[in-house]
Amino acid sequence: MMVVDTHVHVGLRKYEPVEALLDQMSRNRIDKAVLVQYMGNPDNTYLAECMRANPGRFAGVGIVQSHDQQALECQ
């Protein structure tokens, strides 16, 4: 059976980096996780980097500022 943690935070300042999460996931037999951006941080770059570096391991929920002209651009 696949085990998915549906709500985790990672970060370089406010939360632990993704490497700590990967270690915890390994120790607790968690197969995948959903990275959720924390309130007040509309920069989803780190989450995107984590997902790119670990294909198939993470999904992500980011924050989009609807008034930002670049909000509709995808990378």
Side-chain angles (χ1 to χ4, degrees):
M1 171 176 56
M2 183 180 301
V3 178
V4 180
D5 188 333
T6 62
H7 190 127
V8 297
H9 297 286
V10 293
L12 297 174
R13 290 183 215 121
K14 186 171 181 176
Y15 292 95
E16 292 184 327
V18 73
E19 292 80 13
L21 173 62
L22 287 165
D23 180 57
Q24 293 170 14
M25 290 172 65
S26 177
R27 286 186 286 117
N28 293 288
R29 299 183 195 149
I30 306 296
D31 300 301
K32 299 181 182 221
V34 179
L35 305 177
V36 179
Q37 186 62 285
Y38 54 92
M39 294 302 294
N41 183 12
D43 182 356
N44 301 301
T45 304
Y46 186 65
L47 296 187
E49 290 172 359
C50 293
M51 289 185 288
R52 277 191 214 104
N54 299 278
R57 196 81 195 259
F58 299 121
V61 177
I63 294 177
V64 177
Q65 292 182 326
S66 60
H67 64 277
D68 185 343
Q69 292 289 338
Q70 297 177 354
L72 296 178
E73 291 184 20
C74 297
Q75 292 188 20

